[in-house]
Amino acid sequence: MRVLHVTHTAQPGGAELALARLLGQPHPWQAAVYAPPAGVAFDQLPAEEVAQARDLPTLPTGGTRSGAPLLAARYLTALRDGARVLRRSPLYQQADLVHANTAAAAIICALADRAGRRPLVVHLRGPLTVESLGPIGLPAFRRLAMRRADGIIANSDFTLASVPPAPRVPAQRTVIQSPSGISERRAYPEVRPQVRAIGMVGRLQHWKGQHVFLRAFAASLRGTDVRAYLCGAPLFGEEAYETQLRELAATLGISEQVTFRGHVDDINGFLDSIDILVHSSLGPEPLGQTVLQGLARALPVVATEGGGPGEWIRSGVNGMLVPPGEPDALAAVLRTLVASQRLRHDLATAAARTPGLLSDADCVDRHAEFFESVRRAHRPARGRDAA
């Protein structure tokens, strides 16, 4: 089966890294990635599997989330231009199935093939909400991408719950954990007597809540020997947030305790170097790849309540959950964990035994089964009702 994976950017965001991890494993389908050339997410894949779509228009940053009519119009125009480029691609014409890796890619794919000549699998990396897709993106996604979808892959039950129920969206649907770089799980924790390093992994973005972590760290550990590590880089025009984080660390008096690591390829190596992993997004995280990585490495994990992390963590058993956007609550948990090696050991031991975590190879098998099921069931889809 020839599968064309379409993504609107090659910048190393969560969706792109998940696709790169998926295709970095042996896979039973013939794969091609159709992505713009600007970005490094797919640099490690075989050259024959990555088609650099040099004519694919660059999408304006924040286009679907903005209420500005001019920016929204530019964004939609770029999507239509992208659809025309995709439709002319020999890879698209030869594909047995098309996999839209992002919401923007799903709109492009829907516009490229309104009659549904090729089965389309739409990957949902977040819920269908105005907050997630914006006042322009949400209706465009519902009317175009969801109307054309033959299959829907959601990264969590939380994400899938946002999809309108059948028969409004008749596509096959499933939940598959995104590949998170899990090749093998640590069977037993290595809990050090004293906490020396607490880390976050994720794109530097206001919604990810690194500022909440810094405030909590300052409130609980300022002036101690413990260091905070921020692993990740700003993308999509968000460099100003990194500047704000550095200024905040200085204002809080913790600059000497905070290290900005930037993008890190060896995530497992980084996780093994810290004592506690923190996830502090400002709202429900659709999946939380970082949370899964931390559980697989048998770390004490502190995560925001709700969304995907809440599907994996039982607070006080295999991790700790805290309310979103509340640095005082996070600070209290950090104090407790730093003070108790026994608690850290118990949480880490239970984390190592968390049921249901898939390796990246397992994720390949689940995707292969779903792709084949959608391909077999496909019929041209002209005339479907809009979601």
Side-chain angles (χ1 to χ4, degrees):
M1 177 168 52
R2 293 166 297 188
V3 178
L4 181 62
H5 304 270
V6 181
T7 189
H8 76 281
T9 178
Q11 293 296 323
E16 293 70 41
L17 292 177
L19 178 58
R21 293 184 188 116
L22 182 74
L23 299 183
Q25 296 289 318
H27 43 275
W29 63 88
Q30 181 181 333
V33 177
Y34 197 73
V40 299
F42 308 110
D43 281 359
Q44 301 304 311
L45 296 180
E48 61 270 17
E49 288 198 352
V50 182
Q52 299 292 356
R54 299 188 182 279
D55 296 327
L56 197 65
T58 300
L59 300 180
T61 301
T64 60
R65 293 184 178 87
S66 171
L70 180 59
L71 185 59
R74 287 176 54 207
Y75 194 90
L76 293 175
T77 297
L79 291 175
R80 294 190 186 97
D81 291 344
R84 283 193 290 270
V85 172
L86 177 63
R87 192 184 302 120
R88 293 195 298 266
S89 167
L91 286 172
Y92 183 77
Q93 296 166 10
Q94 296 164 8
D96 297 310
L97 180 141
V98 178
H99 170 225
N101 189 55
T102 63
I107 298 173
I108 290 172
C109 292
L111 288 169
D113 184 10
R114 288 177 178 266
R117 294 183 177 88
R118 292 165 188 80
L120 173 63
V121 171
V122 171
H123 215 127
L124 293 182
R125 309 285 183 175
L128 300 182
T129 63
V130 172
E131 292 76 18
S132 176
L133 296 179
I136 300 297
L138 181 60
F141 187 84
R142 281 180 168 172
R143 294 170 186 170
L144 296 169
M146 296 307 297
R147 180 176 182 173
R148 264 289 295 113
D150 297 283
I152 299 169
I153 298 175
N155 58 2
S156 66
D157 291 327
F158 168 76
T159 295
L160 187 61
S162 70
V163 179
R168 292 182 65 201
V169 180
Q172 295 186 52
R173 57 193 71 188
T174 190
V175 174
I176 304 177
Q177 166 200 319
S178 293
S180 302
I182 300 174
S183 56
E184 59 181 2
R185 297 175 61 174
R186 184 183 290 277
Y188 302 100
E190 295 182 3
V191 179
R192 290 173 274 269
Q194 293 183 314
V195 172
R196 287 289 179 261
I198 302 176
M200 279 191 70
V201 178
R203 181 172 126 203
L204 297 185
Q205 178 188 30
H206 185 269
W207 187 84
K208 292 291 186 181
Q210 282 91 352
H211 60 286
V212 175
F213 170 54
L214 291 182
R215 291 186 182 279
F217 183 87
S220 56
L221 297 165
R222 179 173 46 220
T224 68
D225 293 333
V226 182
R227 295 194 61 83
Y229 292 88
L230 296 183
C231 177
L235 298 174
F236 312 118
E238 296 161 336
E239 289 78 8
Y241 182 58
E242 180 177 0
T243 300
Q244 293 169 13
L245 291 174
R246 293 180 182 274
E247 292 173 350
L248 177 61
T251 300
L252 295 171
I254 56 174
S255 290
E256 297 302 315
Q257 291 176 257
V258 179
T259 298
F260 289 78
R261 290 287 303 274
H263 176 73
V264 173
D265 290 321
D266 183 12
I267 294 298
N268 285 341
F270 173 76
L271 294 176
D272 291 345
S273 73
I274 63 176
D275 300 290
I276 299 170
L277 177 67
V278 171
H279 163 278
S280 61
S281 63
L282 302 185
E285 181 81 46
L287 172 65
Q289 291 185 40
T290 297
V291 171
L292 303 188
Q293 292 164 345
L295 294 174
R297 300 307 293 178
L299 272 173
V301 178
V302 184
T304 297
E305 294 173 341
E311 297 174 21
W312 294 99
I313 291 180
R314 294 174 56 201
S315 192
V317 178
N318 66 335
M320 301 293 286
L321 296 175
V322 295
E326 296 189 15
D328 289 344
L330 177 56
V333 171
L334 292 180
R335 289 191 196 98
T336 299
L337 288 175
V338 169
S340 175
Q341 182 186 8
R342 169 52 60 184
L343 177 57
R344 298 197 308 276
H345 181 274
D346 290 346
L347 293 177
T349 299
R353 299 170 182 169
T354 302
L357 283 179
L358 301 179
S359 69
D360 288 359
D362 294 332
C363 291
V364 168
D365 293 340
R366 294 283 302 277
H367 280 78
E369 292 170 2
F370 190 70
F371 288 162
E372 182 58 31
S373 176
V374 170
R375 188 191 65 81
R376 287 198 307 266
H378 174 253
R379 298 290 184 275
R382 185 187 296 276
R384 288 182 179 171
D385 292 334

